[in-house]
Amino acid sequence: MAKELIAVLVTDNNGEATHNYTGTGAGQTTFVAESENLISNSLTINDINTTFTVTADKSILSYADNESCTITATYEGETVNGKTVVFKNGETVLATKTTNSNGVATYDYESQGVGDVTITVECMNLQETYEIEDCYFYDTLTTDKQLFSIATGSGTLTYSNDGLTFRDSTSSETKVLFDKQLPTSDYEVSYDIVAYGNTNNKPQVCFEDFFLGINNNGYYGRRVSVSDNIWRETGSPTPPHTIKHKITGTSSKTVETYQNSTLLGTATSINQTRLMQIFAYENGRSITFTNLKIKPL
């Protein structure tokens, strides 16, 4: 077999020279060193391709529903069976597993409602991460799970693949309540929304006396202004819009409201009743929600 020159080196004061070789996946490779007509003994290594991937069957979990996800680590190389795989959250070791004959090791992560979590998985000096949104509560709102109820007025709640649609059917105010208690510590509520109305009558979302007005004429403090395009079927950007509320404080709350990534406004001194309320005004006004997430900050 023909020789290939890979490096020319100079020895140091100890008569040593080193070379860092980066694997190419070429298979079994033999190295020799030559100096002043002297030939070293040979060194043979198995230069093989190895890959390490991490996947999971879910990336969003709901602690309120006792959800979990299975994280799967797959090692591909010359010998895949019996490799040690370590699953970690930060510096905390969650589990140490061993790959099977297919190079696969799994770990079941149970939701704890702690917010965003980065799972680090290590195997044979290889490392990958997997991001989990570990929510206190999460639901797509595509099926009726008795989460919302009409508290006052007359309206309808309809579930579909688009999410939960709340439509008012009278000329007076209708109010819908979210029937799960929200956290008492700092937390974040987010959802995707499409709202339909007109210039004079637009749906609203609120926290007790805090309102997210689907309106161009809202008031800062108790009420937060939202641009017109949030309630129109066509807007820029096109609905649905992601609405996010960041709620901080103890008995008196501060609420920051974002449309997509833009801060719309801040409401302060909000009493904590831990109820999310939805309002719609006049016949035909509606809001469609999906991907409701509640998680700690």
Side-chain angles (χ1 to χ4, degrees):
M1 181 180 295
K3 294 181 180 180
E4 178 184 353
L5 178 65
I6 61 173
V8 176
L9 306 170
V10 177
T11 57
D12 59 19
N13 292 334
N14 296 317
E16 297 179 350
T18 60
H19 172 67
N20 293 324
Y21 173 76
T22 301
T24 62
Q28 194 174 76
T29 304
T30 300
F31 298 89
V32 295
E34 298 180 358
S35 177
E36 297 180 357
N37 297 322
L38 298 176
I39 300 177
S40 70
N41 59 308
S42 62
L43 172 66
T44 300
I45 64 171
N46 288 321
D47 183 2
I48 59 174
N49 281 324
T50 60
T51 60
F52 185 56
T53 57
V54 175
T55 59
D57 57 347
K58 295 179 184 177
S59 60
I60 307 175
L61 301 178
S62 175
Y63 174 74
D65 297 311
N66 299 313
E67 290 188 342
S68 63
C69 67
T70 299
I71 302 172
T72 301
T74 304
Y75 177 85
E76 295 180 288
E78 184 180 37
T79 303
V80 299
N81 186 48
K83 303 297 184 186
T84 299
V85 180
V86 179
F87 296 83
K88 300 167 66 177
N89 179 7
E91 295 301 317
T92 302
V93 175
L94 301 174
T96 300
K97 303 286 186 174
T98 303
T99 57
N100 60 19
S101 59
N102 295 316
V104 173
T106 62
Y107 168 68
D108 291 333
Y109 175 85
E110 296 182 0
S111 174
Q112 300 176 50
V114 294
D116 295 339
V117 175
T118 300
I119 303 298
T120 302
V121 189
E122 300 171 344
C123 178
M124 298 291 293
N125 296 319
L126 300 173
Q127 177 178 290
E128 292 291 336
T129 59
Y130 190 84
E131 306 292 332
I132 297 174
E133 287 189 77
D134 190 357
C135 302
Y136 169 75
F137 176 82
Y138 168 71
D139 198 89
T140 59
L141 304 181
T142 55
T143 59
D144 187 0
K145 297 181 180 178
Q146 307 298 310
L147 299 173
F148 291 87
S149 62
I150 295 178
T152 61
S154 176
T156 59
L157 299 175
T158 305
Y159 294 84
S160 69
N161 289 335
D162 294 327
L164 166 61
T165 299
F166 164 48
R167 183 179 298 277
D168 192 11
S169 59
T170 68
S171 60
S172 60
E173 173 187 297
T174 296
K175 180 171 68 175
V176 172
L177 294 182
F178 176 61
D179 292 333
K180 281 188 176 292
Q181 181 169 309
L182 299 178
T184 56
S185 58
D186 295 349
Y187 62 98
E188 173 185 290
V189 177
S190 65
Y191 44 85
D192 296 331
I193 185 174
V194 179
Y196 304 97
N198 60 34
T199 303
N200 297 319
N201 297 287
K202 301 169 186 177
Q204 297 178 330
V205 177
C206 80
F207 286 83
E208 197 219 2
D209 53 356
F210 165 74
F211 289 81
L212 163 64
I214 310 305
N215 196 321
N216 203 22
N217 307 306
Y219 304 94
Y220 287 95
R222 294 295 182 182
R223 192 182 296 252
V224 177
S225 153
V226 179
S227 60
D228 257 359
N229 62 30
I230 195 172
W231 63 268
R232 299 180 187 276
E233 291 188 64
T234 58
S236 180
T238 303
H241 302 275
T242 297
I243 301 298
K244 182 180 297 182
H245 310 281
K246 292 185 177 181
I247 298 93
T248 57
T250 53
S251 59
S252 179
K253 297 290 187 180
T254 295
V255 182
E256 293 180 339
T257 297
Y258 296 80
Q259 176 184 340
N260 300 318
S261 59
T262 302
L263 177 65
L264 302 174
T266 302
T268 58
S269 302
I270 304 303
N271 295 328
Q272 170 69 306
T273 60
R274 299 188 297 279
L275 290 175
M276 184 167 71
Q277 304 176 359
I278 308 168
F279 288 81
Y281 292 91
E282 300 207 12
N283 187 25
R285 316 299 176 241
S286 69
I287 312 176
T288 298
F289 295 90
T290 189
N291 296 323
L292 174 61
K293 301 175 185 176
I294 302 171
K295 58 185 179 181
L297 287 174

